[in-house]
Amino acid sequence: MSASPETTDGAQKEQTLTAAQLRRLQDRKEWDAFWQIRKIEAQGKILDTFQYYGHRLMDWPATWVRENIVEPLHDRKKLPYYHRKLNRVPTIDECGVNDRACFFEANEQYRLDKLVDAYILQILRQRADRCMNYHNPYFKPCVPVIEDLEESELNFFIKYGELGSEADVRDVYMKQKHRMVWERRHPEIMEERERAYKEHKERIANGEFDYSFWKKGMFFQDKKNYEPPYEFYLSKSTMEGDKPLSKDWDYYKKVAQDPEFDKAQGKSSDYKMF
């Protein structure tokens, strides 16, 4: 079945438009649908009809100026935007033993990558915040953004976590090396993690979402009270080192020495009010 000439011409016309023009076209379609719904809802109701035409009267001049004056001026006077693309330099594992210039370049590249990763994490967290605030207390539509956030936070912590703000690229490289050695020495743990992760994804595909898979006793909002990488600014002096994922270093010691200390942590997604 061939496409009609009108459909073909419309598709070709849309392909010639810029991304900004396509976004404007989509916005106009959405606003047209909004006003159509408002008009249908106002039919047969005197007060609603009065409000509808009043709102249209206030909206029409601004919309006309925007579509007939502002947007054409933007298209005609648009300035070119050049995104700076930095060339990648050799990583620390490619540097010579005494090549200090290579060390410096690799370290600067590492700091830039960490900054970019942190901003990506911040954007993902803001998306999850907006979705959960909008759909509260029904979080099922937010499952994709929550999954993206949790996986990105885990990857960020694996690479940069517990190294402190003064760590350089060599510290990160050694951490990755030690992690690889540990994973090779404990294949049974890695297999169990892979199995649990696969089972978690299958449950999500079936419409089931268990937040305790990621949280292990903490709600989403509780993570903001902890140290980086959840926030990229320092909340304490760099001379103090860095805190681990859970509260402080003494936390692990308390868990190991006192069987009654924080028994629910890591076993459920419930939280304590007091």
Side-chain angles (χ1 to χ4, degrees):
M1 182 177 179
S2 60
S4 62
E6 295 81 2
T7 305
T8 305
D9 294 341
Q12 291 177 352
K13 185 178 180 180
E14 287 194 357
Q15 289 178 357
T16 60
L17 298 177
T18 63
Q21 292 172 339
L22 289 173
R23 185 170 64 250
R24 291 177 196 165
L25 184 61
Q26 181 64 26
D27 288 342
R28 291 179 186 177
K29 291 179 180 178
E30 292 175 357
W31 276 111
D32 290 342
F34 169 78
W35 289 117
Q36 290 176 9
I37 294 174
R38 283 287 307 274
K39 187 174 182 179
I40 293 173
E41 291 178 345
Q43 290 178 354
K45 303 175 183 177
I46 299 177
L47 180 60
D48 292 347
T49 302
F50 180 78
Q51 289 180 344
Y52 167 76
Y53 284 105
H55 291 165
R56 288 291 281 172
L57 182 63
M58 291 186 291
D59 175 76
W60 181 84
T63 302
W64 187 90
V65 171
R66 175 71 184 179
E67 294 180 354
N68 295 277
I69 299 178
V70 177
E71 291 179 355
L73 286 176
H74 284 177
D75 293 337
R76 197 180 318 150
K77 304 292 184 181
K78 186 176 182 180
L79 296 176
Y81 174 77
Y82 299 98
H83 180 70
R84 185 181 181 187
K85 185 176 181 180
L86 300 176
N87 295 327
R88 303 293 293 181
V89 301
T91 54
I92 188 64
D93 59 306
E94 299 173 343
C95 293
V97 176
N98 296 319
D99 192 349
R100 296 192 175 275
C102 186
F103 287 174
F104 176 81
E105 291 180 343
N107 196 53
E108 292 301 306
Q109 182 171 263
Y110 150 74
R111 293 186 182 279
L112 179 61
D113 291 343
K114 183 179 180 180
L115 186 65
V116 172
D117 292 341
Y119 279 122
I120 293 174
L121 196 62
Q122 190 177 38
I123 292 172
L124 293 174
R125 187 177 67 249
Q126 290 172 353
R127 288 179 181 177
D129 270 336
R130 288 196 297 266
C131 183
M132 296 177 75
N133 289 334
Y134 182 82
H135 293 283
N136 185 38
Y138 182 64
F139 295 149
K140 189 173 182 179
C142 306
V143 170
V145 292
I146 293 175
E147 284 291 300
D148 291 341
L149 172 64
E150 295 294 347
E151 291 183 3
S152 298
E153 281 189 338
L154 176 61
N155 292 331
F156 191 98
F157 183 80
I158 289 173
K159 186 173 183 180
Y160 305 109
E162 298 186 353
L163 287 175
S165 60
E166 297 299 320
D168 61 8
V169 66
R170 284 173 289 188
D171 298 324
V172 177
Y173 183 50
M174 287 298 103
K175 179 179 180 180
Q176 292 178 347
K177 182 200 71 172
H178 295 324
R179 177 178 174 83
M180 292 180 63
V181 172
W182 187 91
E183 290 178 354
R184 291 182 181 181
R185 291 179 177 175
H186 302 84
E188 68 284 353
I189 297 179
M190 301 309 299
E191 291 176 0
E192 177 61 22
R193 287 181 177 178
E194 183 67 22
R195 185 202 63 77
Y197 180 77
K198 184 178 179 180
E199 182 180 343
H200 172 69
K201 289 298 183 181
E202 290 176 352
R203 287 200 300 267
I204 292 179
N206 295 329
E208 303 175 9
F209 180 61
D210 183 11
Y211 205 14
S212 63
F213 176 82
W214 294 109
K215 298 314 302 158
K216 299 301 181 186
M218 293 187 295
F219 267 33
F220 173 81
Q221 290 79 0
D222 298 335
K223 301 183 78 170
K224 299 177 184 176
N225 302 325
Y226 286 70
E227 295 296 319
Y230 308 117
E231 297 289 351
F232 192 61
Y233 53 81
L234 294 179
S235 60
K236 60 190 182 64
S237 170
T238 58
M239 301 300 293
E240 299 179 24
D242 195 9
K243 289 185 180 179
L245 185 61
S246 47
K247 301 158 188 170
D248 51 55
W249 289 110
D250 294 334
Y251 178 83
Y252 297 111
K253 185 177 180 180
K254 294 176 183 177
V255 171
Q257 293 179 350
D258 186 4
E260 300 299 323
F261 176 75
D262 207 357
K263 294 178 64 175
Q265 182 73 21
K267 299 180 177 62
S268 68
S269 59
D270 298 330
Y271 70 101
K272 300 176 181 178
M273 294 296 294
F274 301 100

